[in-house]
Short mmCIF file of all heavy atoms in Angstrom, two decimals:
data_model
loop_
_atom_site.label_atom_id
_atom_site.label_comp_id
_atom_site.label_asym_id
_atom_site.label_seq_id
_atom_site.Cartn_x
_atom_site.Cartn_y
_atom_site.Cartn_z
N GLY H 24 -85.23 61.49 32.02
CA GLY H 24 -85.11 62.63 32.92
C GLY H 24 -84.90 62.25 34.37
O GLY H 24 -85.18 63.04 35.28
N VAL H 25 -84.39 61.03 34.59
CA VAL H 25 -84.18 60.53 35.95
C VAL H 25 -82.69 60.32 36.19
O VAL H 25 -81.99 59.77 35.35
CB VAL H 25 -84.93 59.20 36.18
CG1 VAL H 25 -84.58 58.60 37.54
CG2 VAL H 25 -86.44 59.42 36.08
N THR H 26 -82.21 60.79 37.33
CA THR H 26 -80.82 60.57 37.75
C THR H 26 -80.82 59.74 39.02
O THR H 26 -81.60 59.99 39.94
CB THR H 26 -80.10 61.91 38.02
OG1 THR H 26 -80.10 62.69 36.82
CG2 THR H 26 -78.66 61.67 38.45
N LEU H 27 -79.97 58.73 39.07
CA LEU H 27 -79.87 57.83 40.21
C LEU H 27 -78.58 58.12 40.98
O LEU H 27 -77.50 58.08 40.40
CB LEU H 27 -79.89 56.38 39.71
CG LEU H 27 -79.84 55.27 40.75
CD1 LEU H 27 -81.07 55.30 41.63
CD2 LEU H 27 -79.72 53.91 40.05
N LEU H 28 -78.72 58.42 42.25
CA LEU H 28 -77.56 58.73 43.07
C LEU H 28 -77.17 57.55 43.95
O LEU H 28 -78.00 57.04 44.72
CB LEU H 28 -77.84 59.95 43.98
CG LEU H 28 -78.25 61.25 43.30
CD1 LEU H 28 -78.33 62.38 44.34
CD2 LEU H 28 -77.30 61.63 42.17
N HIS H 29 -75.94 57.13 43.84
CA HIS H 29 -75.40 56.14 44.76
C HIS H 29 -75.28 56.79 46.13
O HIS H 29 -74.87 57.96 46.25
CB HIS H 29 -74.03 55.66 44.28
CG HIS H 29 -73.28 54.85 45.27
ND1 HIS H 29 -73.86 53.88 46.06
CD2 HIS H 29 -71.95 54.89 45.64
CE1 HIS H 29 -72.95 53.35 46.85
NE2 HIS H 29 -71.80 53.93 46.62
N CYS H 30 -75.64 56.06 47.17
CA CYS H 30 -75.66 56.65 48.51
C CYS H 30 -75.48 55.55 49.54
O CYS H 30 -75.96 54.43 49.36
CB CYS H 30 -77.00 57.37 48.73
SG CYS H 30 -77.23 58.07 50.38
N VAL H 31 -74.77 55.86 50.61
CA VAL H 31 -74.73 55.00 51.80
C VAL H 31 -75.45 55.76 52.90
O VAL H 31 -75.01 56.83 53.33
CB VAL H 31 -73.28 54.67 52.22
CG1 VAL H 31 -73.26 53.91 53.54
CG2 VAL H 31 -72.58 53.86 51.13
N THR H 32 -76.58 55.22 53.36
CA THR H 32 -77.41 55.91 54.33
C THR H 32 -76.88 55.64 55.74
O THR H 32 -77.38 54.78 56.47
CB THR H 32 -78.88 55.48 54.20
OG1 THR H 32 -79.28 55.70 52.85
CG2 THR H 32 -79.78 56.32 55.11
N SER H 33 -75.86 56.38 56.08
CA SER H 33 -75.27 56.34 57.41
C SER H 33 -74.66 57.71 57.66
O SER H 33 -74.15 58.34 56.74
CB SER H 33 -74.19 55.25 57.48
OG SER H 33 -73.60 55.20 58.76
N TYR H 34 -74.74 58.19 58.91
CA TYR H 34 -74.33 59.57 59.21
C TYR H 34 -73.33 59.57 60.37
O TYR H 34 -73.74 59.48 61.52
CB TYR H 34 -75.56 60.40 59.57
CG TYR H 34 -76.60 60.42 58.48
CD1 TYR H 34 -77.54 59.40 58.39
CD2 TYR H 34 -76.64 61.43 57.54
CE1 TYR H 34 -78.48 59.40 57.38
CE2 TYR H 34 -77.58 61.44 56.53
CZ TYR H 34 -78.50 60.42 56.46
OH TYR H 34 -79.44 60.42 55.45
N PRO H 35 -72.02 59.65 60.05
CA PRO H 35 -71.43 59.74 58.72
C PRO H 35 -71.33 58.37 58.06
O PRO H 35 -71.42 57.33 58.73
CB PRO H 35 -70.04 60.31 59.01
CG PRO H 35 -69.70 59.77 60.37
CD PRO H 35 -71.01 59.75 61.12
N ALA H 36 -71.10 58.38 56.74
CA ALA H 36 -70.90 57.14 56.01
C ALA H 36 -69.41 56.79 56.07
O ALA H 36 -68.57 57.60 55.68
CB ALA H 36 -71.33 57.31 54.56
N PRO H 37 -69.07 55.60 56.55
CA PRO H 37 -67.65 55.21 56.58
C PRO H 37 -67.10 55.19 55.15
O PRO H 37 -67.67 54.52 54.28
CB PRO H 37 -67.67 53.80 57.18
CG PRO H 37 -68.99 53.71 57.90
CD PRO H 37 -69.94 54.54 57.11
N GLU H 38 -66.03 55.91 54.90
CA GLU H 38 -65.54 56.03 53.52
C GLU H 38 -65.14 54.69 52.93
O GLU H 38 -65.28 54.46 51.72
CB GLU H 38 -64.39 57.03 53.44
CG GLU H 38 -63.15 56.64 54.21
CD GLU H 38 -62.05 57.69 54.10
OE1 GLU H 38 -62.34 58.90 54.07
OE2 GLU H 38 -60.88 57.28 54.04
N GLU H 39 -64.67 53.76 53.78
CA GLU H 39 -64.25 52.46 53.25
C GLU H 39 -65.45 51.61 52.80
O GLU H 39 -65.28 50.57 52.16
CB GLU H 39 -63.44 51.69 54.28
CG GLU H 39 -64.19 51.25 55.52
CD GLU H 39 -64.26 52.33 56.60
OE1 GLU H 39 -63.88 53.49 56.32
OE2 GLU H 39 -64.67 52.00 57.73
N GLU H 40 -66.68 52.05 53.12
CA GLU H 40 -67.89 51.35 52.69
C GLU H 40 -68.58 52.06 51.52
O GLU H 40 -69.64 51.62 51.08
CB GLU H 40 -68.87 51.22 53.86
CG GLU H 40 -68.34 50.38 55.01
CD GLU H 40 -69.32 50.26 56.17
OE1 GLU H 40 -70.52 50.58 55.96
OE2 GLU H 40 -68.91 49.87 57.27
N CYS H 41 -67.97 53.12 51.00
CA CYS H 41 -68.66 53.94 50.01
C CYS H 41 -68.76 53.31 48.62
O CYS H 41 -69.62 53.69 47.84
CB CYS H 41 -67.99 55.32 49.93
SG CYS H 41 -68.43 56.38 51.34
N ASN H 42 -67.84 52.39 48.29
CA ASN H 42 -67.99 51.59 47.07
C ASN H 42 -68.21 52.47 45.84
O ASN H 42 -69.21 52.34 45.11
CB ASN H 42 -69.16 50.61 47.25
CG ASN H 42 -69.16 49.48 46.23
OD1 ASN H 42 -68.23 49.35 45.43
ND2 ASN H 42 -70.21 48.69 46.23
N ALA H 43 -67.27 53.37 45.58
CA ALA H 43 -67.44 54.37 44.51
C ALA H 43 -67.62 53.73 43.13
O ALA H 43 -68.25 54.33 42.25
CB ALA H 43 -66.24 55.32 44.50
N ARG H 44 -67.07 52.55 42.92
CA ARG H 44 -67.23 51.88 41.61
C ARG H 44 -68.70 51.59 41.29
O ARG H 44 -69.06 51.38 40.14
CB ARG H 44 -66.44 50.57 41.59
CG ARG H 44 -64.92 50.75 41.44
CD ARG H 44 -64.25 49.43 41.10
NE ARG H 44 -62.82 49.60 40.83
CZ ARG H 44 -61.85 49.40 41.72
NH1 ARG H 44 -62.17 49.00 42.96
NH2 ARG H 44 -60.59 49.58 41.40
N LEU H 45 -69.54 51.61 42.32
CA LEU H 45 -70.96 51.32 42.11
C LEU H 45 -71.62 52.39 41.23
O LEU H 45 -72.63 52.10 40.56
CB LEU H 45 -71.68 51.21 43.46
CG LEU H 45 -73.10 50.68 43.44
CD1 LEU H 45 -73.20 49.35 42.69
CD2 LEU H 45 -73.61 50.51 44.87
N VAL H 46 -71.08 53.60 41.21
CA VAL H 46 -71.61 54.65 40.33
C VAL H 46 -71.63 54.16 38.88
O VAL H 46 -72.63 54.31 38.17
CB VAL H 46 -70.78 55.94 40.46
CG1 VAL H 46 -71.16 56.94 39.38
CG2 VAL H 46 -70.97 56.56 41.84
N SER H 47 -70.53 53.57 38.46
CA SER H 47 -70.44 53.04 37.10
C SER H 47 -71.34 51.82 36.91
O SER H 47 -72.01 51.68 35.88
CB SER H 47 -68.99 52.67 36.79
OG SER H 47 -68.87 52.08 35.51
#
């Protein structure tokens, strides 16, 4: 019952640092 969210803690988060493949 736990979901893990990938996140870059920066406001705003630079999109080139978002590393979307990390979700997988």
Side-chain angles (χ1 to χ4, degrees):
V25 173
T26 300
L27 182 63
L28 302 187
H29 169 42
C30 176
V31 174
T32 305
S33 180
Y34 303 85
E38 63 180 37
E39 66 276 9
E40 296 180 16
C41 284
N42 196 6
R44 285 193 175 97
L45 190 52
V46 169
S47 177

